Amino acid sequence: MENRSLHRNLAVHIIKKNDNTSDLQFWQQKTPQERINAVEFLRSQYYSLCGCTTIPRITRIIQFRVHHS
């Protein structure tokens, strides 16, 4: 019975499968730190599903582009 009361207040929004505007608006409202935290959470979930016990570090790649006029 207690689980039902927890789910009663959850909002459900039905959108079209190809509608990306709500996703974009959602993430634009988040701070950069919230976005990074979400990516880190998804990475940890992915690697744990793959059976990894540690999460690999992200490699920083810097590319310099020459702009020709």
Side-chain angles (χ1 to χ4, degrees), residues 42-54:
L42 292 173
R43 288 183 69 238
S44 67
Q45 294 294 304
Y46 171 77
Y47 284 111
S48 66
L49 287 173
C50 290
C52 295
T53 56
T54 59

Side-chain angles (χ1 to χ4, degrees), residues 8-62:
R8 194 176 307 157
N9 295 329
L10 297 177
V12 175
H13 300 282
I14 299 173
I15 59 171
K16 293 181 182 179
K17 185 177 181 180
N18 297 329
D19 182 14
N20 295 325
T21 56
S22 63
D23 287 342
L24 179 61
Q25 291 169 353
F26 174 81
W27 288 110
Q28 284 178 334
Q29 294 172 359
K30 302 296 179 188
T31 65
Q33 187 60 51
E34 288 173 316
R35 295 176 196 173
I36 290 171
N37 291 344
V39 170
E40 286 299 317
F41 173 76
L42 292 173
R43 288 183 69 238
S44 67
Q45 294 294 304
Y46 171 77
Y47 284 111
S48 66
L49 287 173
C50 290
C52 295
T53 56
T54 59
I55 300 172
R57 293 182 53 113
I58 295 177
T59 305
R60 181 178 291 184
I61 299 174
I62 300 173

